[in-house]
Amino acid sequence: GSVATVGGTIGADTTLTAAGGPYSVTSSLVVSNGVTLTIEPGTTLFMGSGTTITVNNGGRILAEGTAIAPIRISAAPGAGTTWGGLTVNGAVGSPESRFVHTHFENNSTTCIDVNAGAILLDQVTFGTRGQPYLSLDGASFLVRDCSFPTPSGALEPVHGASGIRSDGRGIFLRNFFGAPNGYNDVIDFTGGNRPGPILHVIGNVFAGTGDDVLDLDGTDAWVEGNIFMHV
């Protein structure tokens, strides 16, 4: 069977399907303002070497897989091939990108970087343990029922700066976090103050840390019902 190719700027609403793939991403994908890229359950994207996925302010990705038909965003088959990661840009009022039952792997830098964008991660898994999983800067986010495995190197799994977007939310709910190596926090988050949105860390399991589980800098937070081990 042939492999479909996709790449470059997506300027109109586009749907990628399991039947139409797997897709070879030959050049970096850019989702334009006002455009929705839909990735249907069971779809696989094989990212070309060094390629990235960028959601421009006003664009969105809806990648809502299911338990029996997850979405996979990986690198093109071949020894040592890596891709550059996913960036979601936005501003107040920009739409939410959603990743459900999606597996990311073979990224060579931070897997998901949200810059003032809005994101929902639900039952997302990460196969590359040598890079940070999540960067959330001035973002709106709901991260629930995800698994952040024990990193293979000395890195900070989740980092957030510039608080939470004024029209958004900042929630970690029922996730599993493996223990970082060395002097690294599990979640390092700066900002987010009442009366604006504050950080919620509820019902998560933290396997351990060499530094802080939650390093909260000038942060108002609601922390409830978590299990903290080996701290």
Side-chain angles (χ1 to χ4, degrees), residues 104-166:
F104 291 89
E105 61 186 5
N106 301 120
N107 47 292
S108 63
T109 184
T110 298
C111 187
I112 301 173
D113 185 6
V114 187
N115 296 308
I119 199 163
L120 179 145
L121 302 176
D122 184 340
Q123 298 178 88
V124 169
T125 53
F126 298 88
T128 292
R129 299 187 297 120
Q131 297 294 335
Y133 303 120
L134 198 50
S135 179
L136 303 161
D137 298 325
S140 173
F141 57 92
L142 170 56
V143 179
R144 69 182 175 206
D145 298 305
C146 296
S147 182
F148 299 90
T150 298
S152 59
L155 60 89
E156 212 169 62
V158 179
H159 186 90
S162 305
I164 297 163
R165 206 171 88 180
S166 61

Side-chain angles (χ1 to χ4, degrees), residues 18-175:
Y23 294 90
S24 175
V25 179
T26 53
S27 60
S28 292
L29 284 177
V30 178
V31 181
S32 300
N33 178 21
V35 169
T36 298
L37 171 61
T38 302
I39 305 174
E40 292 197 341
T43 302
T44 294
L45 269 58
F46 287 124
M47 305 296 297
S49 179
T51 61
T52 59
I53 302 173
T54 302
V55 179
N56 281 347
N57 179 16
R60 65 176 178 171
I61 294 176
L62 298 180
E64 296 175 286
T66 66
I68 60 169
I71 292 164
R72 184 160 62 118
I73 300 177
S74 182
T81 302
T82 58
W83 63 289
L86 164 70
T87 300
V88 179
N89 296 311
V92 168
S94 68
E96 183 177 74
S97 289
R98 297 181 198 142
F99 296 86
V100 180
H101 283 291
T102 300
H103 181 71
F104 291 89
E105 61 186 5
N106 301 120
N107 47 292
S108 63
T109 184
T110 298
C111 187
I112 301 173
D113 185 6
V114 187
N115 296 308
I119 199 163
L120 179 145
L121 302 176
D122 184 340
Q123 298 178 88
V124 169
T125 53
F126 298 88
T128 292
R129 299 187 297 120
Q131 297 294 335
Y133 303 120
L134 198 50
S135 179
L136 303 161
D137 298 325
S140 173
F141 57 92
L142 170 56
V143 179
R144 69 182 175 206
D145 298 305
C146 296
S147 182
F148 299 90
T150 298
S152 59
L155 60 89
E156 212 169 62
V158 179
H159 186 90
S162 305
I164 297 163
R165 206 171 88 180
S166 61
D167 64 334
R169 56 191 177 177
I171 304 170
F172 292 102
L173 178 67
R174 296 188 307 262
N175 304 286

